[in-house]
Amino acid sequence: MSETVLICGHKNPDNDSICAAIAAAYIANTQNAAAQDVEYKAVRLGALPAESAWLINEFGLKEPELIESVAEGQKLILVDHNEPRQAVDGMPGAALLAVVDHHALAGLSTSAPIRYTNLPVGSTCTVLTREMLNMGMEIPANIAACLLSAILTDTVIMKSPTTTDLDREYVAMLAGIANVDPVAFGKQLFNCRGNAADLPVASIIGADAKEFELKTGVCYIAQYETVDLQSVLGREAEIRQAMAEMVAQKGYQFFLFLATDILEEGSQFICEGDTAFVSEVFGVDLNDGNTAWMPGVLSRKKQVAAPILAK
């Protein structure tokens, strides 16, 4: 009887988290095909992002199963995160086998050695593409599209400062395999998100959001990437109310929301909670309901979370 290893991205999954789980499961199951003693299963910890849902349907990929927690001793692989606060409930009691990531180390510890693969690149799917090439694996067109989509969304179509030469190299290669134009494909992915004016506020502030442990408390940083910034800012009052409610309910030190304009290449900052802390970090005034336009800020990981965590 075969056993099951779950491959899981972070809570409030983004496209990279979903696609990394799909691709990692494909890699592991392909490598293990002859033995047939283990099934590697992609799972998710939240709703599918709109672009992931479109991708899965368009390219015939298997949708990761939605789970809320894992049982004691469940064998587990983490992708696109290593922060315990962002991991599946029950993770400390699971049997962690490996991590594949592209984020800074954030407090993960294990009782036994594990396989840990982490590269300073724009996407976890860049790391997985490298893994496939190093193993001499053929990349099918649908898996190429999966990997490509994650690199494009995580690097904001290669505009983010997190983009590396390796990301660009793999974008060109994967686009060729998937037979798509990478820029047009990237725009199509972002357009899947629809108009912010028509979305529930919870989808705007929660679709790509993460908790971070600070020296003074816990913060929540969310990002919504759009080609129509005004459709987001037109709902600022609703957004602020929902953010303030979360700060009160969860006890966050602050909730920082980034409305990122892909075309103008910058982000509007909106903050609730300890606005003085965030204002000091970035040298702006977010107190008393103020917002701040941050030109060139596209990466939550490198340009926002990193300076906050360094304070």
Side-chain angles (χ1 to χ4, degrees):
M1 181 178 179
S2 66
E3 61 180 341
T4 300
V5 176
L6 301 182
I7 302 181
C8 190
H10 54 74
K11 293 176 179 176
N12 294 316
D14 60 3
N15 191 48
D16 191 32
S17 190
I18 295 294
C19 290
I22 293 172
Y26 172 81
I27 293 168
N29 284 320
T30 301
Q31 290 294 102
N32 194 58
Q36 295 183 336
D37 56 345
V38 181
E39 177 193 6
Y40 294 86
K41 184 177 180 180
V43 296
R44 56 186 169 92
L45 301 180
L48 283 175
E51 62 270 30
S52 303
W54 173 83
L55 178 85
I56 288 168
N57 181 67
E58 186 75 9
F59 289 90
L61 298 163
K62 186 176 180 180
E63 179 180 326
E65 179 183 325
L66 177 64
I67 66 169
E68 294 183 354
S69 62
V70 293
E72 184 84 17
Q74 169 65 57
K75 291 187 175 180
L76 181 67
I77 294 172
L78 303 183
V79 293
D80 198 35
H81 71 299
N82 68 82
E83 163 63 73
R85 281 189 169 275
Q86 299 169 8
V88 61
D89 291 346
M91 189 273 288
L96 185 61
L97 304 181
V99 175
V100 184
D101 194 17
H102 71 129
H103 295 93
L105 297 176
L108 181 68
S109 63
T110 62
S111 59
I114 65 169
R115 186 169 182 265
Y116 193 96
T117 308
N118 189 315
L119 293 176
V121 292
S123 164
T124 302
C125 280
T126 300
V127 182
L128 290 168
T129 302
R130 182 175 179 267
E131 292 269 289
M132 294 185 76
L133 295 175
N134 286 344
M135 290 187 287
M137 289 183 67
E138 182 178 349
I139 304 178
N142 64 341
I143 296 298
C146 179
L147 295 164
L148 175 62
S149 76
I151 300 173
L152 290 173
T153 52
D154 246 30
T155 64
V156 195
I157 317 181
M158 297 179 287
K159 292 179 180 179
S160 171
T162 60
T163 311
T164 67
D165 288 341
L166 192 63
D167 296 304
R168 296 183 185 94
E169 176 186 338
Y170 289 169
V171 162
M173 179 195 71
L174 294 167
I177 297 172
N179 194 29
V180 296
D181 175 87
V183 175
F185 185 56
K187 290 180 179 178
Q188 188 170 19
L189 289 163
F190 280 107
N191 284 336
C192 287
R193 298 178 179 180
N195 191 324
D198 302 322
L199 293 175
V201 168
S203 297
I204 298 173
I205 67 169
D208 187 6
K210 294 181 178 179
E211 289 184 348
F212 294 91
E213 185 87 43
L214 307 175
K215 298 172 185 175
T216 51
V218 176
C219 72
Y220 200 61
I221 306 176
Q223 183 174 28
Y224 184 82
E225 295 156 325
T226 180
V227 294
D228 183 8
L229 182 61
Q230 292 309 311
S231 68
V232 180
L233 299 184
R235 303 184 67 183
E236 182 181 342
E238 295 174 78
I239 288 170
R240 280 192 178 279
Q241 181 180 347
M243 291 171 62
E245 289 173 356
M246 284 193 65
V247 169
Q249 291 169 2
K250 299 287 188 177
Y252 294 133
Q253 183 172 336
F254 61 84
F255 185 155
L256 177 60
F257 175 66
L258 289 66
T260 299
D261 191 318
I262 297 167
L263 300 179
E264 295 298 324
E265 300 187 25
S267 295
Q268 195 80 29
F269 278 17
I270 298 173
C271 188
E272 289 291 325
D274 188 356
T275 56
F277 182 101
V278 183
S279 296
E280 183 180 345
V281 171
F282 295 100
V284 297
D285 183 6
L286 295 171
N287 302 304
D288 299 322
N290 289 334
T291 67
W293 172 250
M294 306 293 288
V297 173
L298 297 171
S299 169
R300 174 180 55 194
K301 177 182 69 169
K302 187 172 184 177
Q303 296 172 293
V304 181
I308 285 174
L309 293 171
K311 182 173 171 57

